[in-house]
């Protein structure tokens, strides 16, 4: 139970922090501290510390300015220390991770006067691999006999090294070995292009751990060792999900010994769905399979000392021949099923054929089963080869291959194995018939326009993360907190409960915002607002509103739901206005925001045209943003395969997907969008909504009532 000692520690830390920072307590923050302390502090445990009963999850909606970070840190840390647990704070953005590591956690140590250790957790791919760096530099100094074979896979392996990249790699080696750089991508002094970085990093499959000659100097394992001593570990949702999918406790602490705090927790369900989705491009896959077939003689020559590898290589021709035939037949079937017309492809829209209710034709199920079996055979052979190559790098193992061969060929073997496993998993999803009364898997085909030829991309995805999160996260973890400014939809937690699979006994709370919305912000529905379903009329009204009603002397954000409409509006802007507009996609997000701030600082005014990603996470306080223009209610894309399959499932169960999913989700996105306006308690400004449906449709009142209580000018 929540003991007096824990209560005292929380109260002391909180009051000390406020006193040292000369801050006053905020009502919402105090309520949040109390709720987290109650939930986590009252968890019942057995003698071995394992959770036995009691609510152990709480979801708290707290708006900007509440001080969420301080609230969840100061309330969870004393509980974790008392129960001998560790805290994993998971975020959705790099910016929030950096804020935690470089500001919030040091501030908590200093101003709350409490002692704890913290560390940042990242995946292997964010760290330099010394072995791959050495290999890149060796490749640049001379042509290895195997290089001609490996270069065939350069598109996948990035084995060729330019003179510029070589100079950069030499500089990196010097900085790392001298201790000037810790070896993680995010702390390198300059931005790094993906192909350049991919050449010198590794992943879970390629890493040989203690077998590696550079293990004692490895940047990733040095960072991981710091995690073992940390009371608080900062991670991101993707890393947490990856760790859980491996069984938990691989990179991060064991879930049963962990209190998870999901900041921006509304992103977690979507992240989980994406994590378990899959795709397969038929022609692109045929390409690497044919390259493997072409490389078999060289592979036999280079790795012929190992009889077990030779045995696998000798069995590959039959498997690869079968795959070529099966994929060719599958490609023909897919064309017959989809009836795509490549000549009608749009630059922004890819033709999609979705299988209703996730049900695929029987002929495709049989093809998928054949492909699943063939890729399973390929996985088995490649897995043996990967093991042999990893063993060759073990100094304590005496085998037919040496370290040099292992380091040279392991990246190729692991790449091929990973691709084969992904293909096996995807075709396994297509080979499994959709059962009655079981939540379907979304399955669809997309036409992809390649440089030389077209390709068909086969995709699938779960339509809900509820079961996965309940099974892999909520059930095994000691405790968890979800925190966000947008957890409720239309005033209810039901949507996040359903999407995230939260336990029925999870504690849910909305805490009041410190902002005076009625005094500081205006929500208007201007005369230009119309029904956006009349696309041409709506675009014309947006143009008219921006030309006549948007000031060029202040900071403005115009949010679109469609890239095409954003471009159409831009094309219709007069030259005098175009020069003040910054368009998402024309510049990197960071550069665009810096340019916007610079213009406003010079009193020049600046208008940002942005899409959905600019409706969340953009922080432009004070004069940098005085006017937010929302062109339409942000309903989800109507032809999204996952959304449509989910809608069919709800309809089959007698529900109304529009009212149960579409409207609640749109209300959340709209709350996020209007949340760009007031970022501090002194900010002021105006929101213009150019969508008349909030007045004319039955659901409009619900959506309006879910927004913060701005003063309404309509």
């Amino acid at each position: 139970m929540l003991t007096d000692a824990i209560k005292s520690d929380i109260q002391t830390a909180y009051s000390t922090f406020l006193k040292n920072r000369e801050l006053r307590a905020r009502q919402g923050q105090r309520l949040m501290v109390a709720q987290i302390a109650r939930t986590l502090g009252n968890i019942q445990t057995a003698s071995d510390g394992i959770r036995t009963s009691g609510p152990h999850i709480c979801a708290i909606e707290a708006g900007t300015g509440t001080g969420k970070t301080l609230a969840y840190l100061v309330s969870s840390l004393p509980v974790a220390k008392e129960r001998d647990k560790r805290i994993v704070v998971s975020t959705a953005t790099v910016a929030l991770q950096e804020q935690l590591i470089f500001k919030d956690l040091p501030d908590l140590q200093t101003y709350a006067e409490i002692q704890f250790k913290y560390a940042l957790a990242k995946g292997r791919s964010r760290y330099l691999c010394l072995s791959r760096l050495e290999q890149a530099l060796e490749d640049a100094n001379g042509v290895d006999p195997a290089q001609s074979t490996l270069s065939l896979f350069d598109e996948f392996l990035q084995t060729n090294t330019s003179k510029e990249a070589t100079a950069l790699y030499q500089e990196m080696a010097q900085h790392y070995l001298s201790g000037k750089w810790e070896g993680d991508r995010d702390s390198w002094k300059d931005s790094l292009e993906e192909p350049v970085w991919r050449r010198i990093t590794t992943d879970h499959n390629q890493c040989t751990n203690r077998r590696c000659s550079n293990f004692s100097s490895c940047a990733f394992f040095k960072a991981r060792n710091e995690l073992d001593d940390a009371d608080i570990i900062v991670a991101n949702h993707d890393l947490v999900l990856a760790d859980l999918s491996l069984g938990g406790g691989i990179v991060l602490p064991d879930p049963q010994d962990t209190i998870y705090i999901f900041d921006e927790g509304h992103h977690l369900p979507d992240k989980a769905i994406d994590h378990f989705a899959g795709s397969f491009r038929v022609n692109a896959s045929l390409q690497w399979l044919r390259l493997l077939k072409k490389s078999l003689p060289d592979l036999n020559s280079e790795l012929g000392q190992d009889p077990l590898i030779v045995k696998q290589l000798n069995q590959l021709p039959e498997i690869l021949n079968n795959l070529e035939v099966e994929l060719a037949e599958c490609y023909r079937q897919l064309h017959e099923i989809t009836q795509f017309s490549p000549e009608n492809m749009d630059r922004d829209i890819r033709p999609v054929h979705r299988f209703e209710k996730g049900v695929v034709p029987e002929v495709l199920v049989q093809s998928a089963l054949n492909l699943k079996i063939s890729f399973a055979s390929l996985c088995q052979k490649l897995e043996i080869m990967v093991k042999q190559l990893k063993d060759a790098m073990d100094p304590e193992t005496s085998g037919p291959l040496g370290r040099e061969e292992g380091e040279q060929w392991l990246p190729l073997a692991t790449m091929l194995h990973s691709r084969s496993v992904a293909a096996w998993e995807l075709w396994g999803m297509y080979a499994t018939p959709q059962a009655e009364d079981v939540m379907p898997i979304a399955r669809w085909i997309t036409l992809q326009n390649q440089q030389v030829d077209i390709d068909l991309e086969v995709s699938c995805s779960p339509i809900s993360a509820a079961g996965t999160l309940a099974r892999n996260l909520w059930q095994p973890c000691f405790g968890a907190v979800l925190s966000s400014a947008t957890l409720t939809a239309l005033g209810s937690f039901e949507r996040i409960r359903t999407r995230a699979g939260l336990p029925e006994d999870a504690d849910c709370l909305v805490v009041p915002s410190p902002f005076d919305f009625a005094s500081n912000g205006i929500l208007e529905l201007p005369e230009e607002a119309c029904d956006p379903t009349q696309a041409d009329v709506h675009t014309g009204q947006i143009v008219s509103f921006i030309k006549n009603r948007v000031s060029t002397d202040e900071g403005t954000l115009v949010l679109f739901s469609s890239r095409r409409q954003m471009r159409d509006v831009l094309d219709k802007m007069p030259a005098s206005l175009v020069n003040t507009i910054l368009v998402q996609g024309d510049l990197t997000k960071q550069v665009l925001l810096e340019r916007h701030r610079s213009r406003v600082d010079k009193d020049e005014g600046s208008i940002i045209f942005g899409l959905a990603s600019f409706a969340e996470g953009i922080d432009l306080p004070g004069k940098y943003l005085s006017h937010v223009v929302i062109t339409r209610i942000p309903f989800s894309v109507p032809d999204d395969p996952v959304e449509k399959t989910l809608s069919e499932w709800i309809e089959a169960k007698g529900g109304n997907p529009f009212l149960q999913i579409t409207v609640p989700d749109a209300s959340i996105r709209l709350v996020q969008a209007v949340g760009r306006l007031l970022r501090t308690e002194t900010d002021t400004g105006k929101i213009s909504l150019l969508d008349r449906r909030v007045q004319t449709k039955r659901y409009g009142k619900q959506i309006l009532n879910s927004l913060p209580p701005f003063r309404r000018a309509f």
Side-chain angles (χ1 to χ4, degrees):
M1 61 179 293
L2 184 60
T3 63
D4 290 339
I6 295 177
K7 288 181 185 177
S8 176
D9 287 345
I10 292 172
Q11 291 167 354
T12 300
Y14 184 48
S15 60
T16 302
F17 185 94
L18 295 177
K19 178 182 177 182
N20 288 336
R21 287 291 309 274
E22 298 181 351
L23 298 172
R24 58 182 176 82
R26 300 169 183 174
Q27 183 188 7
Q29 190 178 58
R30 293 176 65 179
L31 291 171
M32 189 171 173
V33 169
Q35 181 61 68
I36 295 172
R38 276 195 300 272
T39 300
L40 299 181
N42 287 324
I43 294 173
Q44 303 295 311
T45 61
S47 57
D48 57 3
I50 302 300
R51 176 176 56 82
T52 56
S53 64
H56 66 295
I57 312 291
C58 67
I60 301 178
E61 180 174 281
T64 303
T66 302
K68 296 188 293 291
T69 307
L70 174 62
Y72 64 61
L73 289 174
V74 81
S75 56
S76 61
L77 187 57
V79 177
K81 286 194 169 188
E82 174 73 18
R83 301 295 185 90
D84 194 26
K85 305 300 177 185
R86 300 167 73 194
I87 296 172
V88 171
V89 181
S90 178
T91 76
T93 63
V94 173
L96 190 48
Q97 280 184 298
E98 291 177 345
Q99 179 181 317
L100 280 158
I101 288 293
F102 298 117
K103 184 180 185 302
D104 296 332
L105 289 168
D107 280 358
L108 186 65
Q109 284 181 327
T110 301
Y111 298 112
E113 298 177 8
I114 52 179
Q115 297 299 312
F116 61 91
K117 295 180 180 179
Y118 61 89
L120 177 62
K122 302 178 186 179
R124 281 176 175 82
S125 62
R126 304 304 297 179
Y127 291 93
L128 169 75
C129 173
L130 278 174
S131 294
R132 299 211 59 190
L133 178 63
E134 290 173 353
Q135 190 174 343
L137 292 172
E138 287 171 6
D139 291 345
N141 293 329
V143 179
D144 187 275
Q147 198 64 34
S148 59
T149 300
L150 291 171
S151 64
L152 293 174
F153 294 91
D154 187 53
E155 179 184 349
F156 310 111
L157 292 173
Q158 197 67 28
T159 55
N160 290 336
T161 308
S162 66
K163 290 182 179 179
E164 294 79 8
T166 299
L168 174 63
Y169 295 157
Q170 289 171 338
E171 184 182 10
M172 285 180 162
Q174 292 169 358
H175 278 67
Y176 184 74
L177 295 175
S178 66
K180 295 179 181 178
W181 178 45
E182 294 182 350
D184 69 289
R185 180 176 183 172
D186 302 305
S187 65
W188 183 248
K189 57 183 180 177
D190 302 312
S191 61
L192 297 167
E193 294 182 2
E194 182 60 30
V196 173
W197 176 254
R198 191 169 65 245
R199 178 73 174 90
I200 56 169
T201 190
T202 189
D203 58 24
H204 173 73
N205 294 310
Q206 292 184 45
C207 181
T208 57
N209 298 326
R210 296 185 180 277
R211 295 183 178 101
C212 180
S213 58
N214 291 305
F215 178 77
S216 61
S217 305
C218 177
F220 170 73
F221 282 101
K222 280 184 178 179
R224 184 172 172 180
N225 288 338
E226 292 182 11
L227 301 186
D228 294 336
D229 297 326
D231 301 297
I232 298 176
I233 297 170
V234 178
N236 60 39
H237 298 345
D238 289 319
L239 183 59
V240 171
L241 290 166
D243 187 64
L244 293 172
S245 68
L246 293 171
I250 307 301
V251 177
L252 301 172
D254 191 302
Q256 66 183 9
D257 295 321
T258 302
I259 294 172
Y260 293 94
I261 297 174
F262 293 99
D263 205 333
E264 300 176 326
H266 62 283
H267 283 295
L268 188 62
D270 286 334
K271 287 284 188 180
I273 288 174
D274 291 344
H275 189 78
F276 294 100
S279 63
F280 179 95
R281 291 194 179 185
V282 181
N283 283 338
S285 299
L286 272 170
Q287 180 187 356
W288 66 260
L289 288 167
R290 286 167 178 162
L291 286 176
L292 173 56
K293 185 178 177 181
K294 182 179 179 180
S295 303
L296 290 179
D298 288 341
L299 288 168
N300 267 296
S301 174
E302 292 292 326
L303 304 175
Q305 308 97 300
D306 190 318
L308 189 52
I309 287 183
V310 170
K311 181 180 178 182
Q312 311 314 310
L313 291 172
N314 289 340
Q315 294 174 357
L316 286 183
E318 182 180 357
I319 297 172
L320 295 173
N321 287 336
N322 288 341
L323 279 169
E324 279 196 71
V325 172
E326 290 163 1
L327 282 172
E329 174 61 16
C330 181
Y331 193 70
R332 184 192 65 77
Q333 292 172 355
L334 292 173
H335 269 296
E336 286 187 359
I337 292 168
T338 59
Q339 297 290 306
F340 287 142
S341 298
E343 62 272 11
N344 296 328
M345 281 189 67
D346 184 273
R347 63 175 183 148
D348 294 324
I349 301 174
R350 304 289 189 197
V352 174
H353 178 92
R354 185 184 64 86
F355 297 103
E356 289 189 11
K357 300 179 181 178
V359 178
V360 300
E362 183 59 36
V363 65
L364 187 54
V365 172
Q366 187 56 51
S367 286
L369 181 59
N370 294 337
L371 286 165
K372 175 188 175 183
I373 293 169
S374 294
F375 273 112
S377 298
L378 182 58
C379 289
Q380 183 185 38
K381 307 307 174 189
L382 291 170
E383 185 175 1
I384 293 172
M385 292 174 61
V386 168
K387 181 182 183 303
Q388 291 300 102
L389 290 168
K390 285 186 175 182
D391 286 346
M393 299 174 66
D394 190 340
E396 298 180 1
T397 301
S398 177
L401 294 177
R403 170 172 294 279
E404 185 176 346
E405 288 87 358
E407 291 180 343
Q408 185 77 39
W409 293 101
L410 183 62
L412 174 60
T414 53
M415 183 275 288
L416 295 171
H417 181 251
S418 296
R419 285 175 174 266
S420 300
V421 169
W424 170 73
E425 290 175 342
L426 181 131
W427 290 114
M429 301 283 268
Y430 269 76
T432 305
Q434 183 61 53
E436 292 282 341
D437 294 324
V438 175
M439 184 173 283
I441 294 170
R443 298 176 173 95
W444 69 97
I445 314 297
T446 310
L447 182 66
Q448 298 289 346
N449 189 11
Q450 304 301 296
Q451 292 180 348
V452 179
D453 196 4
I454 63 170
D455 202 351
L456 293 176
E457 184 173 60
V458 184
S459 303
C460 65
S461 171
I463 61 173
S464 171
T468 298
L469 291 175
R471 184 170 54 253
N472 297 333
L473 175 59
W474 311 130
Q475 290 176 13
C477 78
F478 180 78
V481 176
L482 271 79
S483 172
S484 171
T486 49
L487 282 183
T488 62
L490 304 177
S492 169
F493 280 94
E494 188 57 35
R495 185 74 179 111
I496 190 66
R497 282 184 180 274
T498 302
R499 295 183 69 227
L502 293 178
E504 290 185 7
D505 64 358
D507 296 319
C508 297
L509 175 71
V510 176
V511 302
S513 170
F515 293 163
D516 186 349
F517 292 99
S519 298
N520 293 3
I522 298 172
L523 173 64
E524 69 167 7
L525 194 67
E527 62 184 26
E528 289 86 352
C530 63
D531 189 331
T533 56
Q534 300 174 291
D536 292 340
V537 174
H538 186 232
T539 296
Q541 292 295 85
I542 296 171
V543 172
S544 175
F545 181 81
I546 294 173
K547 286 167 62 176
N548 301 317
R549 303 280 298 278
V550 170
S551 171
T552 56
D553 298 326
E554 62 184 10
T556 300
L557 173 63
V558 184
L559 293 170
F560 294 86
S561 296
S562 159
R563 185 179 299 275
R564 173 181 284 181
Q565 186 176 57
M566 181 174 74
R567 287 292 174 184
D568 287 346
V569 170
L570 184 66
D571 290 341
K572 292 177 171 61
M573 288 288 106
S576 57
L577 266 179
V578 170
N579 294 331
T580 68
I581 296 172
L582 297 167
V583 183
Q584 180 181 354
D586 290 354
L587 301 166
T588 66
K589 192 173 187 177
Q590 181 178 352
V591 171
L592 186 150
L593 294 176
E594 287 174 354
R595 194 165 295 182
H596 174 81
R597 293 188 187 97
S598 176
R599 287 180 177 181
V600 175
D601 285 337
K602 296 174 184 176
D603 297 323
E604 295 176 355
S606 179
I607 301 171
I608 296 174
F609 276 16
L611 297 166
S613 62
F614 272 53
E616 184 179 1
I618 298 295
D619 192 23
L620 294 169
K623 64 179 181 179
Y624 295 118
L625 188 56
S626 304
H627 191 182
V628 176
V629 181
I630 302 169
T631 58
R632 63 187 297 160
I633 299 169
F635 289 117
S636 58
V637 180
D639 57 356
D640 178 78
V642 177
E643 293 280 342
K644 290 193 76 171
T645 306
L646 177 59
S647 295
E648 289 172 343
W649 169 250
I650 291 174
E651 285 179 343
K653 293 297 179 183
N656 184 323
F658 183 74
L659 296 179
Q660 290 177 236
I661 301 174
T662 308
V663 172
D665 286 358
S667 75
I668 292 173
R669 296 188 192 103
L670 193 58
V671 170
Q672 291 165 349
V674 302
R676 297 315 96 210
L677 184 66
L678 305 184
R679 307 303 297 170
T680 72
E681 293 183 55
T682 58
D683 287 353
T684 60
K686 178 173 64 176
I687 296 163
S688 302
L689 179 58
L690 304 182
D691 191 332
R692 184 66 62 182
R693 289 176 297 181
V694 292
Q695 274 192 332
T696 61
K697 299 296 183 181
R698 291 175 60 186
Y699 57 78
K701 185 175 182 181
Q702 282 183 293
I703 289 178
L704 283 175
N705 290 341
S706 71
L707 298 178
F710 293 107
R711 180 160 52 92
R712 295 183 185 176
F714 58 93

